Amino acid sequence: MFKHIQAFAFIASLAASAFFFWAWYERYLRWDFNELGRHYDVDTQTVYTTSGFAWALPAFGCLLLAVVLLARAWRRRRGR
């Protein structure tokens, strides 16, 4: 049963990481910011700021958790 919980946690952390990477792209990487750290989208009349970089933190955190879970499962499978 513990293997199923680990597998679910691995898949959930990968899914969360993918979502946060998408949000990071949509809110930060996609735009060219001016010297004030802002971008105005004329079509949607939305102002994007460089604070969108904050989405990278949970993205990398969830990815790190997935890598740790995968490494632990791989070590247990090899018998260490």
Side-chain angles (χ1 to χ4, degrees):
M1 174 143 170
F2 184 70
K3 289 181 182 180
H4 296 295
I5 294 171
Q6 257 189 331
F8 176 76
F10 173 73
I11 292 170
S13 63
L14 273 183
S17 178
F19 169 75
F20 288 125
F21 273 116
W22 171 80
W24 182 34
Y25 172 78
E26 283 293 316
R27 295 292 178 177
Y28 183 75
L29 293 177
R30 188 174 169 183
W31 309 111
D32 291 326
F33 296 102
N34 62 13
E35 63 277 354
L36 298 175
R38 296 183 186 130
H39 173 78
Y40 179 69
D41 187 11
V42 178
D43 296 333
T44 61
Q45 295 188 357
T46 306
V47 176
Y48 295 97
T49 64
T50 55
S51 64
F53 185 80
W55 288 101
L57 299 175
F60 283 111
C62 289
L63 185 62
L64 179 65
L65 177 62
V67 168
V68 167
L69 288 170
L70 184 64
R72 287 185 68 192
W74 186 65
R75 279 185 150 200
R76 286 186 184 187
R77 189 171 190 191
R78 290 192 66 197
R80 289 187 179 184

